Amino acid sequence: MRTTLLVAAAALATLSASAAWAEPLFLAKQYTRCTPCHYSPTGGGLLTPYGRLVSHRELSTTGASTTAKASPAAGSDDDPHGEQAFLYGALGDALGPVHLGVEMRPSALRIGFPGGHQDMNFWMNVDLIAAVQKGGWTGYATAGREPPNSAERDGRTLTEAAFISYEHWISYETAQGLRIRGGRFLPAYGVRFADHTTYSRSSLDLDRNDQIYGLEVSGTIGRSLVQAMVSPGKAEAILHDHGHRGFSTAGRWQLDLTPRATVVGSAFYRDSTDLDQKSGSAGGAFGFAPGARVSIWTEVDIDMHPAAVGGTSWVAVNETSVEAYRGVWLKISPQFRTSGSGPGSSDLRRLEFAANLLPRTHWNVNLAYYRDRAFDATTTTLLAQLHLYL
């Protein structure tokens, strides 16, 4: 019974947190990179005017324009009066160079385990996001609500919602495409799946609270995108828990083979801290879309720790997405993590089925079923989430 409760508690802790919206499934629409649609070089967060236009014109079930396909070079993409604009264009061009967004995720969760279940209705996040761009410079910041029981501060678990800014950074991009970014952000590594509880994210310190304070350099070389960062430690450790603060560095390389096929290689090193031993991870991913309605991503990573704290383990994730109807995506994701050599560890297995519905711009409905198995116990999770991005 104790093992069952531990598994259920772990599932609850990981699933009752927020995630920035980013969808690798749009590889099927020939979007191999995040930057055309998102301000962040690592994806997720506030949509650019072009990203908003794409969500309205090409991705949503209803409300699509009969005009030509959106283009990053089109002068009409930055229309502040369109339906896709902030607050449906109610403010028009009053904001000038400032771009705002509001993200809200009311959610319902049911976690089932042998002998019972637990239900939750809660707000995963309510965030205000702002970006300013001028002359190659970009300033970006989020401000919002951190859910209770989702993080630790000074060795204690939060029991009530608190203010947090998950990302705030400044970057400069040259005319040749070289970008330098400094501030708080999530490191570039692997594939940024929309579900932050995916094993290749949650198991590798790439979850919702794992942003770093650091410096990142990225650039495009032909069909390749190269990203590298250095950091004195995780942002939350620097701010609230100095015992876990330590140097880290990461690198990511992406090669676009075709408009619908890409390979990714990544590496991450974390130095020892006062409380943690050094660790590292490395992996590769391959994504391809055999057609305009199907995308398939597979990522395999090795997670390396000293034997005394878990040893080496492997993580494998596949996500296959099919657009059954315009704006209606069905996904299946088998995931696996080996146990390593540490005491009290277990192989983790997950099978996820999900439906991602995009009925109209600003509206996104996520329905997901998870079946997780660890320590010879099985938990099931049902998640219903409305994502409003205004």
Side-chain angles (χ1 to χ4, degrees), residues 200-386:
S200 59
R201 291 191 59 186
S202 61
S203 298
L204 301 177
D205 283 345
L206 296 166
D207 209 335
R208 60 178 296 278
N209 251 357
D210 291 331
Q211 298 87 5
I212 53 89
Y213 276 117
L215 181 69
E216 177 187 76
V217 178
S218 61
T220 299
I221 306 173
R223 293 181 296 164
S224 293
L225 171 65
V226 180
Q227 298 163 290
M229 78 84 188
V230 292
S231 165
K234 288 185 180 180
E236 289 301 294
I238 291 173
L239 294 174
H240 305 292
D241 191 359
H242 292 179
H244 291 286
R245 181 178 62 186
F247 170 82
S248 65
T249 184
R252 181 181 184 273
W253 166 74
Q254 175 177 330
L255 174 63
D256 299 330
L257 303 174
T258 73
R260 289 199 177 107
T262 187
V263 293
V264 177
S266 306
F268 204 149
Y269 172 77
R270 306 167 191 83
D271 202 1
S272 59
T273 71
D274 293 342
L275 300 175
D276 307 300
Q277 298 193 44
K278 65 181 179 181
S279 63
S281 56
F286 176 61
F288 74 101
R293 292 180 177 270
V294 180
S295 68
I296 302 171
W297 282 94
T298 301
E299 180 173 343
V300 177
D301 299 279
I302 182 171
D303 191 17
M304 297 167 284
H305 295 263
V309 290
T312 297
S313 60
W314 291 87
V315 179
V317 173
N318 172 269
E319 182 179 280
T320 299
S321 306
V322 177
E323 188 179 31
Y325 185 77
R326 182 188 175 103
V328 179
W329 289 87
L330 306 179
K331 297 192 289 186
I332 181 172
S333 178
Q335 305 173 32
F336 181 75
R337 177 183 171 90
T338 63
S339 62
S341 58
S345 59
S346 169
D347 288 351
L348 305 178
R349 296 178 176 85
R350 165 178 289 181
L351 184 60
E352 175 191 357
F353 298 95
N356 190 359
L357 314 178
L358 306 168
R360 198 174 181 98
T361 185
H362 301 297
W363 297 81
N364 179 204
V365 178
N366 294 309
L367 305 172
Y369 169 82
Y370 305 83
R371 186 179 187 276
D372 292 278
R373 185 166 181 80
F375 298 102
D376 296 323
T378 299
T379 62
T380 59
T381 304
L382 288 171
L383 172 67
Q385 179 187 90
L386 173 62

